[in-house]
């Protein structure tokens, strides 16, 4: 009896010491908060902040609260590397949510990997960002998942078979995405009946549309960005070609209909997030983000990244992030997460640390009051 | 195939006739005061925006939109001349050129400041009607743009050749000092030239807006440069040269995009410029016709 009493006393004492000694677990977040790409970093940060506030309000992780430390990399690669070093060495971060762009993630990935600290990018999409770096993950929707899923969806739902493909040849994103679309159309038994190229910055697409029109495609796949997308739509309607355009999140901007107006109706784009999703989780997220700058793909991915890290910390029972063993256990827990239900969709990680997720396929539609919006099609 | 070639020809002539309208402004100003007015592209852009404001807030009557844009832009052209060029008219030509570049940067940034840098949708002033002749679909808008351009160019030709002001313009372009000795108010003639050139650019701006249905504050830069190439191609200083140069350039561009590669669009335009400067620096109509306006 006396022994048990002593033991329990010791246990209580030990617990108290732990809670007292290290009350916080640090999650680092870095990205451009100023400069050209500021909107990416700010959005990711605002989503991450919401997630941290929620977790702490619910009692934290493993009896500790989470502290979010953010550094502004200004979109500069050298600055990004500095921020990562600081988070690892000075702040002893358990994990880093890092760099919404691919370029900077290529730079900081190896640093985090060498230091055995988990890094999740909430935005990088380029090929190979996570390859051969066990500690580097991303929760972004990849075009190699989104493109084929979208093609399959529109072919099944609308019965479209014949597509025109327009690529912007001076845009890496467009060239890469076109290859994905082309393969997907072939794999699912459709035809690319005509291919045309443009350049970013062009305004006159009359020659391309004239060349496409006689082939009468059911849809025009355009892999570039919205400024050219809206002008292509206008030109197509002008020449009496009524096919909608289909593309990636490069077209996902209100500017598409600001310029193209009704010509944009029916255009199909996929993305890693949709505020229109009916899931309760998403609707709550959208509501909470209203006072924090609005919900979008970057804030959703930032929010999910925090929960992914927190879940991994819970699973690995992380209490002290200065301990490389605990960080490695956390990395293993994250890599083996059986399936995570985030606001940016269901996901799990492949063996390279890329999120495998389904795209949100959306079509431009018009509300009764004349306002345009992206209507979610696949729910 | 034939249908596509004919359709692409039409696309080329449409773009080309817009280049011609802008090129006329370059060529007229150069003809009179030997200045390459680099702000001309931005004046064209302002013309397009004035048309946008009139069409969205006041009336979508095409004639009114066009007339207001042309009138106000003419005033802007004269203002630019009075503020940026007149004070340096007797300085070296390089001063005037730098002043022109300054005016260009000032105007485009002013519009960015007021409007923001984004592209703006142009209201549909003109219904999109296509009609079919002999199996070929023709857009009414394209035909309309070509006709309006031709009408404006003929209007200019009439002014230059059949009015008192036109005679004065030609006299000043031949020799400003002598013209002044003959009692011609050269300041007035120069202002008039800027007004006419700017209003033609505004017309081009409104036509581009109705054609592409979008305008942006930086569109003057590339369109202006292309029109400048057209003017050099035709022989800078020559009015028929600017008209033909614009058409040739528009056709070369569209045909290049359609049958070679769209990546060559700008390469073709500036390749033509380099070729002309090497082979025939005076341009197609540079010396053959002695009319320099």
């Amino acid at each position: 009896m006396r022994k048990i009493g002593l033991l329990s006393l010791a246990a209580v004492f030990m617990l108290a010491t732990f809670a007292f000694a290290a009350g916080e677990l640090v999650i680092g977040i870095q990205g451009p908060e100023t400069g050209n790409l500021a909107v990416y970093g700010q959005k990711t940060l605002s989503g991450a902040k919401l997630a941290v506030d929620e977790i702490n309000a619910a009692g934290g992780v493993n009896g500790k609260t989470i502290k979010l430390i953010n550094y502004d990399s200004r979109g500069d690669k050298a600055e990004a590397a500095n921020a990562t070093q600081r988070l690892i060495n000075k702040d002893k971060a358990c994990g880093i949510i890092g760099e919404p762009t691919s370029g900077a993630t290529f730079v900081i990935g190896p640093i985090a990997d060498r230091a055995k600290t988990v890094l999740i990018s909430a935005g990088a999409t380029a090929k190979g960002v996570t390859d051969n770096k066990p500690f580097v993950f991303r929760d972004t929707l990849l075009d190699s998942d989104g493109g084929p899923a979208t093609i399959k969806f529109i072919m099944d739902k609308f019965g479209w078979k014949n597509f025109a493909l327009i690529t912007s040849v001076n845009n890496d994103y467009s060239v890469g995405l076109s290859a994905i679309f082309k393969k997907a159309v072939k794999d699912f038994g459709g035809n690319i009946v005509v291919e045309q190229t443009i350049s970013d910055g062009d305004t006159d697409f009359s020659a391309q549309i004239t060349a496409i029109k006689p082939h009468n495609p059911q849809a025009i796949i355009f892999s570039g960005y919205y400024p050219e997308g809206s002008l292509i739509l206008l030109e197509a309607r002008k020449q009496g070609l009524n096919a909608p355009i289909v593309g990636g999140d490069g077209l996902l901007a209100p500017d598409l209909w600001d310029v193209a107006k009704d010509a944009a109706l029916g255009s199909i784009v996929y993305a890693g997030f949709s505020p229109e999703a009916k899931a309760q989780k998403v609707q709550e997220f959208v509501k909470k983000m209203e006072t924090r700058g609005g919900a979008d793909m970057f804030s959703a991915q930032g929010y999910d990244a925090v929960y992914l890290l927190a879940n991994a910390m819970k699973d690995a029972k992380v209490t002290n992030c200065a301990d490389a063993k605990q960080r490695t256990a956390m990395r293993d827990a994250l890599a083996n997460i059986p399936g995570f239900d985030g606001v940016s969709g269901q996901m799990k990680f492949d063996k390279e640390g890329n999120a495998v997720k389904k795209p949100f396929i959306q079509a431009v539609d018009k509300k009764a009051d004349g306002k345009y919006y992206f209507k979610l099609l696949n729910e | 195939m034939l249908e596509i070639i004919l359709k692409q020809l039409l696309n080329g002539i449409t773009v080309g006739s817009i280049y011609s309208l802008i090129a006329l402004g370059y060529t007229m100003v150069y003809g009179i005061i030997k200045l390459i007015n680099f702000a001309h592209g931005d004046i064209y852009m302002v013309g397009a925006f004035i048309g946008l404001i009139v069409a969205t807030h006041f009336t979508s009557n095409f004639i009114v939109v066009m007339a207001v844009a042309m009138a106000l832009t003419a005033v802007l052209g004269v203002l630019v001349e009075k503020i940026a060029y007149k004070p340096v008219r007797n300085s070296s030509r390089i001063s005037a050129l730098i002043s022109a570049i300054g005016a260009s940067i000032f105007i485009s940034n002013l519009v960015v400041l007021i409007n923001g840098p984004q592209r703006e949708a142009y209201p549909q002033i003109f219904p999109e009607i296509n009609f079919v002749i002999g199996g070929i679909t023709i857009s009414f808008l394209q035909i309309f743009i070509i006709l309006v351009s031709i009408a404006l160019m003929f209007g200019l030709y009439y002014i230059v050749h059949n009015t008192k002001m036109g005679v004065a313009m030609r006299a000043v372009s031949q020799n400003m000092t002598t013209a002044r000795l003959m009692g011609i108010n050269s300041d007035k003639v120069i202002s008039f030239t800027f007004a006419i050139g700017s209003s033609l650019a505004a017309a081009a701006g409104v036509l581009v807006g109705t054609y592409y249905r979008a305008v942006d504050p930086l569109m003057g830069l590339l369109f202006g440069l292309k029109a400048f190439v057209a003017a050099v191609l035709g022989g800078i200083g020559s009015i028929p040269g600017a008209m033909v140069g614009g058409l040739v350039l528009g056709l070369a561009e569209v045909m290049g995009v359609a049958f070679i590669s769209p990546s060559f669009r700008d390469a073709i335009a500036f390749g033509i410029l380099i070729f002309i400067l090497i082979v025939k620096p005076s341009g197609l109509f540079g010396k053959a016709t002695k009319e320099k306006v």
Side-chain angles (χ1 to χ4, degrees), chain B:
Chain B
M1 193 61 197
L2 183 71
E3 189 199 329
I4 292 186
I5 292 177
L6 286 173
K7 189 84 212 312
Q8 300 287 26
L9 272 173
L10 192 60
N11 291 339
I13 295 172
T14 311
V15 181
S17 58
I18 293 170
Y19 285 153
S20 295
L21 279 180
I22 311 175
L24 284 169
Y26 279 108
T27 236
M28 286 166 63
V29 167
Y30 184 86
I32 297 250
I33 52 172
K34 301 283 173 286
L35 165 77
I36 293 163
N37 179 11
F38 274 112
H40 193 59
D42 302 283
I43 288 172
Y44 143 81
M45 176 271 295
V46 172
F49 270 86
I50 292 173
L52 173 70
I53 292 165
V54 175
T56 38
H57 296 295
F58 300 102
T59 168
S60 61
N61 181 322
F62 181 80
I63 297 169
V64 177
V65 172
M66 191 78 137
V68 173
M70 286 175 77
L72 292 182
T73 313
V75 174
L76 174 74
V78 173
L79 269 179
V80 169
E81 192 265 331
K82 295 277 183 232
I83 295 169
Y85 303 148
K86 199 175 173 216
V88 289
R89 197 179 291 157
N90 295 321
S91 320
S92 71
R93 279 172 71 182
I94 202 84
S95 312
L97 198 68
I98 298 295
S99 185
I101 292 170
S104 159
I105 294 170
F106 176 80
I107 294 172
S108 58
N109 282 286
L110 188 67
V111 176
V112 169
L113 196 69
I114 296 168
N115 173 73
Q118 76 281 6
R119 195 168 272 167
E120 293 292 336
Y122 222 76
Q124 188 169 1
I125 307 178
F126 238 76
E128 274 154 27
I129 310 165
N130 291 317
F131 51 92
V132 181
I133 300 174
I136 298 165
T137 318
I138 292 172
S139 137
F140 178 65
L141 186 59
Q142 286 186 322
I143 301 293
F144 178 77
I145 287 174
I146 295 168
L147 289 179
V148 170
S149 307
I150 292 173
L152 287 170
M153 287 187 246
F154 268 100
L156 174 69
Y157 203 79
Y158 178 83
I159 289 174
V160 170
H161 287 267
N162 296 302
T163 63
K164 215 170 169 186
M165 187 53 96
V167 177
M169 279 166 82
R170 283 184 288 156
V172 171
S173 83
Q174 280 174 12
N175 192 321
M176 200 189 290
T177 322
T178 317
R180 212 177 266 158
L181 290 173
M182 301 296 136
I184 293 171
N185 183 344
S186 60
D187 278 350
K188 215 168 123 193
V189 171
I190 291 168
S191 294
F192 183 76
T193 309
F194 271 88
I196 292 278
S198 301
S199 64
L200 288 177
V206 173
L207 290 176
V208 159
T210 39
Y211 186 47
Y212 297 122
R213 299 275 309 283
V215 290
D216 67 272
L218 299 176
M219 70 188 209
L221 181 66
L222 199 60
F223 243 87
L225 274 178
K226 297 266 186 69
F228 172 64
V229 172
V232 173
L233 170 64
I236 194 150
S238 149
I239 286 180
M243 297 180 194
V244 174
L247 286 179
V248 169
L249 185 68
L251 277 171
E253 263 191 35
V254 169
M255 289 303 171
V257 169
F259 300 109
I260 306 171
S261 159
S263 320
F264 288 113
R265 182 191 294 272
D266 298 344
I268 289 169
F270 297 109
I272 288 176
L273 177 66
I274 294 168
F275 182 77
I276 288 290
L277 288 177
I278 293 171
V279 177
K280 198 168 185 301
S282 56
L284 295 175
F285 290 72
K287 286 270 155 27
T289 61
K290 283 266 168 94
E291 305 169 314
K292 276 195 168 181
V293 173

Side-chain angles (χ1 to χ4, degrees), chain A residues 56 98 107 140 148 151 162 167 171 191 219 230 250 264 361:
Chain A
N56 287 339
V107 174
T140 343
I151 294 295
N162 297 329
T167 311
N171 175 340
N191 311 305
S230 54
I361 300 168

Side-chain angles (χ1 to χ4, degrees), chain A residues 63-85:
Chain A
K64 291 163 193 267
T65 53
I66 291 181
K67 186 181 178 194
L68 191 69
I69 296 182
N70 63 300
Y71 291 123
D72 177 13
S73 68
R74 304 200 297 264
D76 182 87
K77 284 174 185 160
E79 200 57 42
N82 287 340
T84 308
Q85 300 280 16

Side-chain angles (χ1 to χ4, degrees), chain A residues 120-205:
Chain A
I120 297 189
S121 167
T125 52
K127 215 174 161 181
V129 169
T130 60
D131 288 7
N132 304 319
K133 293 181 276 281
F135 280 83
V136 182
F137 297 82
R138 55 176 156 186
D139 68 354
T140 343
L141 170 73
L142 296 188
D143 291 326
S144 52
D145 289 332
T150 305
I151 294 295
K152 178 146 186 9
F153 178 82
I154 57 173
M155 287 176 74
D156 290 349
K157 186 169 164 106
F158 304 116
W160 294 342
K161 277 188 91 70
N162 297 329
F163 300 96
L165 177 67
I166 303 181
T167 311
S168 178
V169 287
N170 60 352
N171 175 340
D172 288 347
Y173 162 75
S174 178
V175 172
L177 186 56
S178 274
I180 291 168
F181 275 133
K182 207 167 158 180
K183 184 171 178 299
V185 168
K186 210 174 135 223
D187 289 351
F188 299 126
N191 311 305
I192 302 269
V193 287
V194 55
E195 266 190 70
Q196 286 290 310
T197 52
I198 62 156
S199 297
D200 275 11
D202 282 359
T203 51
D204 177 50
F205 302 111

